[in-house]
Amino acid sequence: MGRQITKQTEGILYAGGAYFIWGILPLYWKLVQDVSAEEILAQRVFWSFIFMVVVLLFTGKWGEFITQCKKLLQHPKSFIMLTIASLLISINWFLYIWAVNHNHIIETSLGYYINPLVSILLGMVVLKERLNVWQIVAVCLAAVGVAMMTLRYGAFPWIALTLAFSFGLYGLVKKLINFDASIGLTFETIVVTPFALLYLISLQMNGEIAFGTVSPSVTLLLIGAGAATAVPLLYFAKGAKLIPLTLIGFLQYIAPTISLCIGVFLYGERFTSAHAVAFGFIWAALLTFSFAKTKFMVKRQPRLGK
């Protein structure tokens, strides 16, 4: 029993740590806000790849990575799926960086509150997973929240929904191809690294690159973007293996809650009545979903049909 409790505690620390890092990442990107989002993304991809190569070498997984690469070339379907995963996470990273540095932190937090509900919807549509009545209610509440924000805020929350769906689809693809976390992330970065390098070379040739020219601190922060990207992903993968999915479900709200507080209290972004209505529905949806499969809720769910 003691060993089991220790494992669960370890899992909570790893997964909670991952979500904490994701929550404070806006602070990191704000430190390099004078660099274009395109260059930050390219640097993030390149240094993530370098960081993951070092991780594989130190953990003795380099040989396994080479073996998996050879197998991947023999299975075009898996390679295509991996490429799709790389593109989806690149879109997510770019939009997140752009949104944070253009004062849309609140909307990024909304996106990551919506994300688990998008994953539910994708599981239902693509994987034919069945939802109980309360889970359906949760998805409907989230949809109402997004609709209300669109109507009252006067603009479609495209940042939040693009972040939610790109990460949701990324998670779905990752579930379908099922690679070891460190090997999978190295694959994903190696696919887009050539494009990142070409873009950085073009910036260098045109004298527009920030890396190595703006200040030593900015250069170090751009290099550190690799670790800032990879460490929480590796922590999450380790934590997810040690604790139940339901506990992961509760912990995943740490990141958007921290981001929301940073946006409102640190950077002074306006939290309007439209935001309050939208977040109210989203929070209600998340609470409904979190308790949907408990004995208390299952006993009280209404029956659909006979």
Side-chain angles (χ1 to χ4, degrees):
M1 180 65 73
R3 179 59 182 165
Q4 190 175 11
I5 293 172
T6 303
K7 278 191 172 183
Q8 186 170 44
T9 303
E10 186 182 356
I12 290 171
L13 289 173
Y14 274 114
Y19 284 118
F20 176 78
I21 294 170
W22 281 326
I24 63 171
L25 267 183
L27 298 174
Y28 195 96
W29 303 129
K30 282 286 189 182
L31 294 173
V32 289
Q33 63 182 338
D34 293 332
V35 182
S36 70
E38 292 84 359
E39 182 178 347
I40 295 173
L41 174 64
Q43 298 284 1
R44 186 179 186 181
V45 167
F46 175 73
W47 292 108
S48 294
F49 171 65
I50 298 299
F51 182 83
M52 289 312 304
V53 168
V54 173
V55 168
L56 291 180
L57 288 170
F58 272 89
T59 56
K61 290 185 178 180
W62 182 253
E64 186 182 349
F65 174 70
I66 297 299
T67 301
Q68 291 292 340
C69 279
K70 292 175 181 177
K71 288 182 179 178
L72 196 63
L73 293 173
Q74 297 169 1
H75 297 87
K77 185 178 177 181
S78 296
F79 183 79
I80 291 170
M81 294 288 281
L82 178 65
T83 303
I84 292 171
S86 301
L87 293 174
L88 285 168
I89 199 61
S90 296
I91 291 168
N92 185 274
W93 287 352
F94 172 76
L95 183 57
Y96 184 77
I97 294 166
W98 181 91
V100 166
N101 288 345
H102 285 79
N103 304 314
H104 295 293
I105 297 175
I106 290 176
E107 197 166 344
T108 66
S109 70
L110 177 63
Y112 287 111
Y113 275 124
I114 296 171
N115 174 245
L117 300 168
V118 168
S119 296
I120 298 163
L121 192 62
L122 290 171
M124 183 177 66
V125 173
V126 180
L127 302 178
K128 307 302 179 185
E129 295 176 355
R130 296 187 65 183
L131 306 184
N132 67 23
V133 174
W134 294 121
Q135 289 173 318
I136 294 171
V137 169
V139 173
C140 291
L141 283 171
V144 171
V146 172
M148 291 294 288
M149 186 170 179
T150 301
L151 293 172
R152 295 190 60 182
Y153 194 53
F156 186 70
W158 65 273
I159 294 173
L161 290 178
T162 303
L163 286 172
F165 274 92
S166 60
F167 201 75
L169 287 166
Y170 169 74
L172 176 65
V173 173
K174 290 277 283 184
K175 184 178 178 67
L176 293 173
I177 54 179
N178 191 29
F179 276 109
D180 170 85
S182 56
I183 291 175
L185 182 57
T186 309
F187 275 138
E188 290 156 27
T189 53
I190 201 172
V191 169
V192 289
T193 291
F195 301 101
L197 276 174
L198 286 173
Y199 180 73
L200 292 173
I201 289 168
S202 70
L203 287 180
Q204 179 70 42
M205 292 177 67
N206 293 324
E208 298 173 352
I209 197 166
F211 184 86
T213 61
V214 174
S215 70
S217 61
V218 167
T219 299
L220 288 173
L221 285 166
L222 290 174
I223 293 172
T229 297
V231 169
L233 284 168
L234 295 173
Y235 275 13
F236 173 77
K238 189 160 185 176
K241 291 179 180 178
L242 298 173
I243 57 178
L245 192 60
T246 50
L247 190 50
I248 286 286
F250 280 106
L251 292 173
Q252 68 188 342
Y253 306 131
I254 293 172
T257 302
I258 293 173
S259 295
L260 176 62
C261 292
I262 287 172
V264 174
F265 298 112
L266 194 59
Y267 293 111
E269 292 188 14
R270 288 182 65 235
F271 191 77
T272 65
S273 59
H275 285 117
V277 171
F279 275 84
F281 275 98
I282 298 298
W283 287 328
L286 295 175
L287 282 171
T288 303
F289 172 70
S290 296
F291 292 100
K293 289 192 173 183
T294 61
K295 290 181 180 179
F296 178 84
M297 294 291 275
V298 169
K299 285 180 180 179
R300 286 159 179 79
Q301 70 177 352
R303 295 182 180 276
L304 297 179
K306 292 184 179 179

